[in-house]
Amino acid sequence: MPPRFIVGNWKMHKSISEAESLVNGILKHYQPHPSVELAVAPSFVSLQAVSRLIASTPIGLAAQNVNAHDEGAFTGEISPLMLQEVGCHHVIVGHSERRHIFGETDSLINEKLHAVLRHGMLPILCVGEHLNERQANQTHKVIHTQLQKGLEGLSSYDLLRVAIAYEPVWAIGTGHAATVEQAAEVHAGIRTFLAMQWKIDAERIRILYGGSVSGDNAGTLFHSPQINGALVGKACLNSESFVKIIELAKTS
Ligand code: PEP
């Protein structure tokens, strides 16, 4: 089994000094272990400070977003070259907040994903259904479309460099996580879909669950072999609750 991958998405939280304190708090309590890979995704302005602090640790640096172009007249945007230079290994693409607040389409997400890979970084592609789509039994259909369009044009080699984060929109930031059965069922569906479309051994794809993961539910979620890690929002903003999730990823 590949190491469980735990990613903390700090969203638009933490000043630079708060970001440094959070990393120092994680480093104080976190005991690296081969069964867990860890990454943090601070805001753009904190990337450099965090990069310096984690440079000699096994913690990876992730960005929350990227522009698909290398450079140009794109005011307010950050290019993959800039992320690479600051030390990012991973980039989150297609987060539900990017899709629904900022109107990102599957085709834009696909361009970003290609840009990330082109610059030697690893994308974390987020997919997930709305509550009304789940209630209408559309979950698999919605996610297959997001995968098909978001991953379009990828070779099977590149696909194996992508981590998928299943994040049901109704579970993000609501305190109502999916049950382990709900998440495992969708993860299995994602694997079957990718195996059929790309003819790969989909057991090799890392599929993370995200949506109200906490120290209270992570252990149960990690019991499923379908769940290869977690994308954590709120609970990663405090070093104790984040380290608790990391510890559960080791031992569960
Ligand atoms: C997220 O934003 O990716 C997320 C999962 O947030 P939360 O853990 O707060 O639901």
Side-chain angles (χ1 to χ4, degrees), residues 169-252:
V169 180
W170 47 270
I172 297 177
T174 59
H176 301 293
T179 63
V180 61
E181 292 80 13
Q182 287 172 320
E185 196 246 338
V186 174
H187 287 212
I190 292 173
R191 269 184 233 285
T192 305
F193 179 79
L194 296 177
M196 277 173 57
Q197 298 290 316
W198 272 269
K199 314 280 177 254
I200 50 151
D201 172 8
E203 296 306 314
R204 293 174 62 197
I205 292 267
R206 287 200 292 193
I207 308 180
L208 319 183
Y209 168 76
S212 297
V213 173
S214 69
D216 293 334
N217 59 27
T220 310
L221 288 162
F222 295 148
H223 272 127
S224 168
Q226 285 291 348
I227 299 176
N228 308 124
L231 181 52
V232 184
K234 190 171 178 213
C236 78
L237 297 174
N238 170 290
S239 57
E240 278 172 30
S241 52
F242 192 46
V243 170
K244 185 166 177 201
I245 293 169
I246 298 162
E247 288 302 316
L248 289 164
K250 282 184 200 169
T251 53
S252 302

Side-chain angles (χ1 to χ4, degrees), residues 78-220:
I78 304 288
S79 87
L81 283 172
M82 296 166 183
L83 296 182
Q84 192 190 37
E85 187 182 12
V86 79
C88 288
H89 296 115
H90 289 90
V91 183
I92 299 170
V93 290
H95 190 278
S96 89
E97 287 149 18
R98 301 291 328 162
R99 291 176 187 266
H100 304 118
I101 302 174
F102 300 101
E104 291 195 5
T105 61
D106 286 312
S107 93
L108 178 64
I109 290 162
N110 177 253
E111 282 177 42
K112 293 184 176 200
L113 199 129
H114 279 277
V116 170
L117 288 168
R118 203 166 53 240
H119 291 285
M121 296 178 290
L122 305 176
I124 301 165
L125 172 65
C126 302
V127 295
E129 81 288 3
H130 286 276
L131 185 58
N132 62 331
E133 293 165 335
R134 172 164 282 269
Q135 286 166 340
N137 277 327
Q138 298 290 304
T139 299
H140 288 283
K141 186 169 168 244
V142 168
I143 286 166
H144 292 174
T145 304
Q146 291 172 343
L147 292 171
Q148 184 81 60
K149 294 185 174 172
L151 297 168
E152 196 177 314
L154 253 66
S155 64
S156 44
Y157 171 79
D158 277 339
L159 179 60
L160 290 168
R161 297 166 65 206
V162 179
I164 309 289
Y166 168 53
E167 297 211 305
V169 180
W170 47 270
I172 297 177
T174 59
H176 301 293
T179 63
V180 61
E181 292 80 13
Q182 287 172 320
E185 196 246 338
V186 174
H187 287 212
I190 292 173
R191 269 184 233 285
T192 305
F193 179 79
L194 296 177
M196 277 173 57
Q197 298 290 316
W198 272 269
K199 314 280 177 254
I200 50 151
D201 172 8
E203 296 306 314
R204 293 174 62 197
I205 292 267
R206 287 200 292 193
I207 308 180
L208 319 183
Y209 168 76
S212 297
V213 173
S214 69
D216 293 334
N217 59 27
T220 310

Side-chain angles (χ1 to χ4, degrees), residues 20 42-53 61 85-86:
E20 288 171 331
S43 71
F44 286 134
V45 293
S46 294
L47 281 172
Q48 188 161 26
V50 172
S51 181
R52 285 200 187 113
L53 282 178
L61 189 65
E85 187 182 12
V86 79

Side-chain angles (χ1 to χ4, degrees), residues 8-29:
N9 173 15
W10 298 3
K11 309 194 188 195
M12 199 174 72
H13 294 290
K14 306 287 177 192
S15 65
I16 297 174
S17 60
E18 288 168 345
E20 288 171 331
S21 304
L22 178 53
V23 174
N24 284 327
I26 297 169
L27 290 172
K28 196 164 154 201
H29 301 290

